[in-house]
Amino acid sequence: MASASGLVNAALPDDLLAEVFRRVAAAGGKADLDSCALVCRRWRGVERASRRAARVPVDGPDGDAVVRCVADRFPGLADVFLDHGLYIAAGASAAAAERSRAQGWDNENPKLDEQHMQCSTLSEDTQKENGSDGVNPTSFTDAGLLHLIEGCKGLEKLTLNWFLHISEKGLVGIANRCRNLQSLALSGGYVQNHGLITLAEGCNLSELKLCGVQELTDEGLVEFVKIRSKSLVSLDISFCNGCITYRSLYAIGTYCHNLEVLSVESKHVNENKGMISVAKGCQYLKSLKMVWLGVGDEALEAIGSSCSALENLSLDNLNKCSDRSLFSIANGCKQLKSLIIKSSVKFTDRSIERVSQNCKMLQHMEINMCHIMESAALEHIGQRCINLLGLTLNSLWIDNNAFLGFGRCCFLLKSVCLANCCKISDEAISHIAQGCKNLRELSIISCPQIGDEALLSVGENCKELRELTLHGLGRLNDTGLATVDQCRFLERKLVTPH
């Protein structure tokens, strides 16, 4: 009798088998694909040719060899993450992989083929031994990058994390060979103006992320957005000294009329006109993140009046913005689903009240280190934002009454994170637990008045709880934890006393 695998092989052509593997990847991820590849040589060959995504470690002395091995074995890759934050678990795995490739899969243990893909976080001890202070040496260079883009001709998404040894030659290679590239993320390296402009000319990019890149100026970014003005949909720029100024923001607003996602972090923006240009020019904007910008109320008033499609807004350390800004956002951006406010010194309860009145679709709210906000702000959210799914509060001077409304109205709430809220006690958690019975994630950090009674209420009411994180709760004993353990779906519990 023919084996089961033989019957399947006889019935399925390669293209249909490849489609099966793509669906396996979508449902289960890399581990399931690896299992499929071990069934037989045919499955292994088809899986290699059809694999679409890989996260590849480029730490240590074998970075180019690892990338070369991956490119040779998986020519169908479309999404590649070259990560400096990982390292090869087996010290000689790159050499073993090269040997395996030369000799053929039949003559080697098939597990050797996977060793170069097995990665783990570099331990502190290993970092100290290497004398690297947490930054691994890497031999990943232009040669490895060029081999990747030559071997994987269908690249659509590429991420380079900590690419210190990649020069303009490597970026030009991407521009010349990756015509289908749509998304590019560059973190921690050197990007000169000419290199970025060449990328804009060679690749039809719709997404660009620049984080911690050096040598780039606003001149290069302005030229980039001019060239890619029609295709650019998402732009994320952070920790790039001198790259984001009012001139680059003005160019974004002038040329990128199809932009939907914008994230900017810069201490070099001290004028409103750049963000006003963005507001007037990027009216399809759906997600906006602003960090450390020295803009005032006029900038956010322009966003509120022009960007009615805005769904996600994050404001971090905008110390010149007051309630006027949030009033305008609440009046104009009624599709808002997520609002994050961090380290803002002028926003008060009044602005949160306006948001709760007008933004009925709000699903996620985070308020972090806004010291002049009090319980009234949370009372408004709890009473009016009945679609709320996630709530994060950190370092707020609020009391238990702030949570009454969540228990009475926010029945859909699934995730709650409370940190450094010193005035709240067991009563606050009980309000949430008794009303929000669909709660799945709960994190309580450094709230000293919370103890066993809170967890008793959670255990009795929140039967859908999946994840629980508790830290710095001095009044916590085994009684409350034992009750929570009865939640049958609990998958992750992290408890640290201090």
Side-chain angles (χ1 to χ4, degrees):
M1 180 180 290
S3 66
S5 61
L7 291 174
V8 171
N9 276 334
L12 292 179
D14 286 355
D15 55 348
L16 188 55
L17 187 59
E19 178 62 26
V20 171
F21 290 152
R22 277 192 284 270
R23 298 194 181 198
V24 168
K30 178 181 178 298
D32 290 336
L33 277 182
D34 291 341
S35 297
C36 291
L38 296 175
V39 170
C40 64
R41 275 182 288 179
R42 181 190 175 221
W43 282 33
R44 187 177 186 80
V46 173
E47 192 280 323
R48 281 183 177 180
S50 61
R51 184 172 290 209
R52 299 281 290 170
R55 184 165 183 159
V56 185
V58 293
D59 303 65
D62 298 317
D64 282 349
V66 172
V67 172
R68 190 161 53 246
C69 181
V70 170
D72 290 345
R73 296 184 182 202
F74 304 104
L77 289 175
D79 179 357
V80 176
F81 191 129
L82 300 176
D83 195 353
H84 186 274
L86 304 172
Y87 86 110
I88 306 294
S93 57
E98 287 289 327
R99 184 172 65 255
S100 174
R101 182 171 64 89
Q103 295 180 357
W105 179 74
D106 310 344
N107 303 323
E108 285 284 325
N109 183 336
K111 290 186 178 180
L112 287 179
D113 186 49
E114 295 181 291
Q115 283 184 337
H116 74 285
M117 297 292 286
Q118 295 176 353
C119 313
S120 61
T121 304
L122 186 64
S123 67
E124 294 181 3
D125 292 340
T126 305
Q127 292 175 7
K128 291 178 180 177
E129 289 174 5
N130 293 340
S132 61
D133 294 328
V135 179
N136 292 337
T138 178
S139 65
F140 177 60
T141 65
D142 292 332
L145 179 59
L146 293 174
H147 196 102
L148 173 71
I149 59 184
E150 188 64 34
C152 304
K153 299 183 183 298
L155 274 180
E156 298 174 2
K157 183 177 182 179
L158 178 62
T159 300
L160 299 180
N161 184 17
W162 203 258
F163 57 103
L164 292 175
H165 299 293
I166 299 298
S167 69
E168 187 170 311
K169 177 182 177 182
L171 299 181
V172 171
I174 295 174
N176 291 336
R177 292 179 174 88
C178 299
R179 298 295 182 178
N180 296 321
L181 195 68
Q182 299 175 14
S183 174
L184 178 63
L186 304 174
S187 300
Y190 299 96
V191 177
Q192 296 178 342
N193 290 338
H194 179 262
L196 187 64
I197 294 171
T198 303
L199 285 169
E201 294 171 340
C203 305
N204 190 30
L205 290 172
S206 60
E207 298 179 2
L208 176 67
K209 179 178 180 179
L210 302 174
C211 179
V213 301
Q214 303 297 316
E215 299 186 356
L216 184 67
T217 69
D218 58 358
E219 179 181 350
L221 186 58
V222 167
E223 289 301 314
F224 177 88
V225 299
K226 284 182 179 179
I227 298 170
R228 292 266 56 92
S229 59
K230 293 183 179 180
S231 67
L232 200 61
V233 175
S234 176
L235 183 60
D236 184 343
I237 305 176
S238 58
F239 304 106
C240 301
N241 293 333
C243 177
I244 281 287
T245 65
Y246 81 88
R247 287 187 291 272
S248 46
L249 289 176
Y250 189 84
I252 292 169
T254 302
Y255 299 104
C256 299
H257 301 308
N258 296 320
L259 198 68
E260 296 180 3
V261 178
L262 177 62
S263 177
V264 291
E265 180 276 336
S266 177
K267 293 184 177 181
H268 298 275
V269 177
N270 295 305
E271 300 181 41
N272 291 320
K273 57 184 178 182
M275 283 307 303
I276 292 175
S277 173
V278 168
K280 294 180 178 179
C282 307
Q283 297 189 10
Y284 297 109
L285 207 61
K286 293 182 179 179
S287 180
L288 175 62
K289 181 178 181 180
M290 303 164 61
V291 185
W292 290 109
L293 302 188
V295 298
D297 290 324
E298 293 81 1
L300 281 176
E301 285 176 334
I303 296 292
S305 61
S306 300
C307 302
S308 59
L310 195 66
E311 296 180 359
N312 305 295
L313 177 63
S314 179
L315 308 175
D316 191 344
N317 278 281
L318 302 188
N319 293 325
K320 293 183 179 180
C321 295
S322 68
D323 284 344
R324 279 175 53 196
S325 295
L326 284 185
F327 286 167
S328 180
I329 294 295
N331 292 335
C333 306
K334 297 185 179 181
Q335 306 298 315
L336 201 65
K337 294 181 179 179
S338 174
L339 177 61
I340 299 174
I341 304 173
K342 296 183 179 180
S343 301
S344 297
V345 297
K346 294 185 178 180
F347 294 141
T348 70
D349 298 346
R350 293 176 58 243
S351 58
I352 299 300
E353 180 182 7
R354 183 69 63 86
V355 169
S356 69
Q357 288 174 342
N358 293 357
C359 302
K360 301 297 185 182
M361 299 179 66
L362 197 66
Q363 295 179 353
H364 299 276
M365 165 69 80
E366 177 178 346
I367 304 177
N368 193 329
M369 297 184 68
C370 298
H371 298 299
I372 63 173
M373 285 190 186
E374 298 181 352
S375 298
L378 274 300
E379 291 175 19
H380 297 309
I381 294 294
Q383 292 168 3
R384 297 187 175 121
C385 298
I386 59 174
N387 294 310
L388 201 66
L389 300 176
L391 176 68
T392 298
L393 306 174
N394 184 14
S395 302
L396 299 182
W397 200 245
I398 55 178
D399 57 31
N400 295 329
N401 291 331
F403 297 90
L404 276 170
F406 294 99
R408 293 173 179 173
C409 304
C410 298
F411 305 123
L412 301 178
L413 195 63
K414 293 183 178 181
S415 175
V416 173
C417 177
L418 305 176
N420 302 297
C421 297
C422 299
K423 289 181 65 178
I424 64 173
S425 66
D426 296 335
E427 183 182 349
I429 304 300
S430 296
H431 290 323
I432 294 175
Q434 290 168 9
C436 308
K437 297 184 183 295
N438 292 316
L439 195 67
R440 297 189 178 185
E441 299 176 13
L442 176 62
S443 178
I444 307 174
I445 301 170
S446 299
C447 298
Q449 297 190 49
I450 292 179
D452 279 349
E453 290 186 17
L455 290 193
L456 288 171
S457 183
V458 171
E460 291 171 359
N461 295 286
C462 303
K463 301 301 183 181
E464 301 291 322
L465 194 67
R466 263 77 164 171
E467 296 186 16
L468 177 65
T469 301
L470 305 172
H471 175 74
L473 307 184
R475 299 179 60 235
L476 191 62
N477 295 309
D478 292 339
T479 304
L481 292 174
T483 305
V484 172
D485 285 336
Q486 297 176 12
C487 297
R488 56 181 178 173
F489 296 111
L490 191 64
E491 300 171 351
R492 180 178 179 272
K493 183 175 72 172
L494 178 61
V495 181
T496 51
H498 301 293

